């Protein structure tokens, strides 16, 4: 289990590195380079628009790769999704700017971002299911949390490289070529991930299925549509919080507040370190006290903290901004640490790869794709403290709270209880 969990964590970290490095670049440099005819705010909105395309592609990727995951196995999905995401990320670093090839530059950016999202949409379902379906029922929450640590590791890798470049290069050097380096690094990381995954074995739960779904998506839509919609709505707050902290606040702090790139990245990364470190502990609590209870607590905490978070951000003081981000990410991890076990337990094994991944990635469209765009627009028309952003995030938290309240608990009462299949 430890070797399997470590390989899943490493692969997920690499995939999310690819995805997050684009978000950081969108907040810092893509607007002026690829949308130079726009105003600064409009350029940032346009860059965040290409960022959002990745989220739109993720449900499509979960349908495509989920089909093969339910029909052919979880393991092949991990290899194919990693190849697609890694290749498209390297290609982003090679796209000439608008000044070199004109409108073709943002078009290429859009296509490659779509391919990134397509690959990541297949990654999460395969990595989580391979771990969850190997894990003993009484410790499924703990072992399934390892892929959930991957996004934090990927974010820290992406922003660590960006932070190092930002601190050592001039603004002109960073804008000219420095921002491309993290995208090229993705190629080496992808090769390492493929080597790690070459030794993984297929999920025992998949091998036990006698009658595989012919068209998994059709069964999910017919038999589990309500469950998919509820999980998507429930997860939207987690995406909204994470990308408000890691993407929108970075653009707002450097652009509106005049805080340096290095200071903003350091504050965000410190909060993400704490969040990632606590993920296994929270997941272990879910094995004892239940998945749904922790999700409800996380949503409630998020609803209470969004206004204090934006107030602390508006100070521009590094310590206060860090505290604001930390409170938000603690609410986030209370929900998302348990999802590696919770979502697979909600779906029957024959359509699990499609159902869990589609619900997970639809939540990303609702919460992740729109939040940087909506928050940027709301902050532009507000005062120094972006209260409108706080109200928007609080509303999403309350909406997700209602969705979680309608979902069932899935944690086995005893380790010996057979795997539940709800919905």
């Amino acid at each position: 289990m430890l070797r399997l969990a470590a390989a899943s964590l490493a692969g997920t970290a690499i995939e999310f590195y690819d995805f997050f490095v684009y978000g950081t670049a969108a907040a810092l440099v893509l607007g002026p380079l690829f949308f130079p005819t726009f105003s600064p705010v409009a350029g940032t909105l346009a860059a965040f628009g290409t960022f959002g395309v990745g989220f739109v592609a993720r449900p499509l990727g979960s349908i495509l790769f989920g089909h093969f995951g339910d029909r052919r196995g979880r393991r092949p999905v991990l290899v194919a999704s990693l190849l697609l995401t890694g290749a498209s990320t390297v290609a982003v670093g090679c796209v000439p700017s608008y000044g070199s090839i004109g409108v073709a530059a943002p078009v290429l950016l859009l296509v490659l971002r779509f391919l990134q999202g397509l690959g990541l949409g297949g990654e999460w379902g395969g990595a989580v299911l391979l771990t969850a379906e190997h894990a003993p029922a009484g410790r499924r929450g703990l072992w399934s949390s390892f892929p959930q640590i991957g996004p934090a590791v990927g974010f820290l890798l992406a922003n660590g490289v960006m932070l190092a470049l930002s601190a050592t290069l001039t603004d002109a050097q960073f804008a000219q070529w420095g921002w491309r380096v993290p995208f090229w690094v993705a190629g080496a990381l992808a090769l390492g991930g493929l080597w790690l995954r070459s030794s993984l074995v297929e999920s025992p739960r998949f091998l036990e299925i006698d009658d595989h779904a012919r068209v998994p998506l059709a069964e999910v839509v017919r038999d589990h549509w309500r469950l998919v919609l509820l999980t998507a709505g429930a997860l939207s707050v987690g995406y909204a919080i994470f990308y408000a902290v890691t993407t929108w606040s970075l653009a707002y702090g450097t652009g509106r507040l005049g805080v340096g790139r290095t200071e903003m990245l350091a504050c965000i990364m410190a909060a993400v370190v704490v969040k990632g470190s606590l993920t296994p502990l929270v997941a272990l609590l879910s094995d004892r006290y239940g998945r749904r209870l922790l999700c409800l607590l996380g949503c409630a905490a998020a609803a209470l903290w969004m206004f204090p978070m934006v107030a602390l951000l508006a100070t521009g003081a590094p310590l206060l901004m860090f505290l604001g981000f930390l409170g938000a990410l603690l609410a986030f991890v209370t929900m998302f640490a348990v999802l590696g076990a919770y979502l697979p337990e909600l779906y029957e094994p024959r359509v699990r790869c499609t159902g869990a991944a589609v619900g997970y990635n639809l939540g990303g469209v609702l919460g992740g794709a729109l939040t940087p765009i909506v928050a940027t627009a709301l902050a532009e028309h507000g005062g120094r403290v972006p209260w409108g952003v706080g109200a928007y995030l609080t509303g999403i938290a309350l909406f997700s709270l209602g969705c979680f309240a309608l979902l069932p608990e899935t944690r086995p009462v005893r380790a010996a209880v057979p795997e539940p299949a709800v919905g």
Side-chain angles (χ1 to χ4, degrees):
M1 279 307 308
L2 185 60
R3 184 172 62 87
L4 176 64
S8 295
L9 187 159
T12 307
I14 293 166
E15 291 258 19
F16 275 92
Y17 168 92
D18 297 349
F19 200 73
F20 289 146
V21 76
Y22 189 100
T24 305
L28 295 177
V29 296
L30 294 188
L33 289 176
F34 289 90
F35 304 95
T37 60
F38 291 17
S39 69
V41 173
T44 300
L45 286 169
F48 281 153
T50 63
F51 173 75
V53 166
F55 286 97
V56 175
R58 283 173 64 169
L60 299 178
S62 64
I63 293 171
L64 173 64
F65 288 103
H67 177 87
F68 291 103
D70 285 322
R71 293 279 299 163
R72 304 295 182 188
R74 323 307 193 197
R75 185 176 175 273
V77 167
L78 298 181
V79 175
S81 63
L82 185 58
L83 278 172
L84 177 60
T85 308
S88 56
T89 303
V90 172
V92 169
C94 300
V95 176
S97 66
Y98 185 94
S100 299
I101 60 173
V103 72
V107 171
L108 284 172
L109 206 63
L110 198 69
V111 171
L112 292 171
R113 179 60 176 174
F114 180 87
L115 293 176
Q116 264 193 329
L118 204 67
L120 190 61
E123 159 66 25
W124 185 87
V128 165
L129 290 191
L130 202 61
T131 308
E133 292 181 340
H134 274 91
R139 284 290 179 264
R140 189 178 294 128
L142 173 62
W143 289 114
S144 300
S145 71
F146 278 76
Q148 293 298 87
I149 303 172
V153 176
F155 177 84
L156 292 171
L157 283 173
N159 285 273
V161 176
M162 282 287 190
L163 181 60
L165 292 167
S166 177
T168 56
L169 300 177
T170 65
D171 288 345
Q173 289 172 327
F174 186 80
Q176 184 176 11
W177 59 268
W179 69 272
R180 299 180 183 273
V181 174
F183 290 91
W184 298 334
V185 170
L189 293 176
L191 292 176
L194 290 172
W195 176 77
L196 283 171
R197 289 183 167 179
S198 63
S199 62
L200 297 181
V201 296
E202 186 53 78
S203 157
R205 290 293 293 151
F206 175 79
L207 296 176
E208 291 171 2
I209 300 172
D210 296 323
D211 183 23
H212 295 284
R214 291 180 58 83
V215 185
L217 179 63
E219 289 196 24
V220 169
V221 172
R222 184 185 68 234
D223 301 330
H224 307 290
W225 62 269
R226 180 177 178 272
L227 185 57
V228 170
L229 294 179
L230 283 176
T231 52
L235 303 187
S236 61
V237 64
Y239 284 101
I241 291 172
F242 192 82
Y243 288 100
V245 170
T246 61
T247 302
W248 167 74
S249 67
L250 181 59
Y252 182 80
T254 56
R256 183 71 173 269
L257 302 179
V259 181
R261 285 195 305 262
T262 302
E263 289 82 359
M264 284 301 303
L265 284 170
C267 290
I268 295 169
M269 288 173 65
V272 172
V273 166
V274 179
K275 187 271 290 186
S277 301
L278 292 177
T279 299
L281 175 61
V282 176
L284 188 61
L285 292 175
S286 80
D287 282 326
R288 183 174 180 84
Y289 299 107
R291 330 287 191 211
R292 179 173 170 269
L293 174 62
L294 290 176
C295 291
L296 292 172
L297 290 174
C299 280
L304 294 172
W305 188 249
M306 292 301 97
F307 282 109
M309 185 195 77
V310 297
L312 291 169
L313 169 63
T315 67
L319 179 58
L320 295 179
M321 291 192 296
F322 164 73
L323 291 176
F325 298 152
L326 179 61
L329 292 183
L330 289 178
F332 166 87
V333 77
T334 306
M335 296 174 276
F336 268 53
V338 309
L339 293 183
Y342 192 26
L343 284 181
E345 288 172 345
L346 287 169
Y347 293 87
E348 58 181 304
R350 59 185 276 118
V351 295
R352 181 173 285 163
C353 196
T354 300
V358 168
Y360 183 83
N361 288 298
L362 279 177
V365 176
L366 297 174
L370 297 178
T371 293
I373 299 171
V374 173
T376 299
L378 290 173
E380 176 65 15
H381 299 290
R384 180 177 176 83
V385 181
W387 297 119
V389 177
Y392 169 74
L393 295 173
T394 301
I396 294 179
L398 293 174
F399 169 69
S400 293
L401 182 67
C403 292
F404 272 122
L406 295 173
L407 288 172
E409 180 57 76
T410 63
R411 174 183 58 93
V413 177
R414 299 182 306 273
V417 172
E419 182 178 33
V422 183

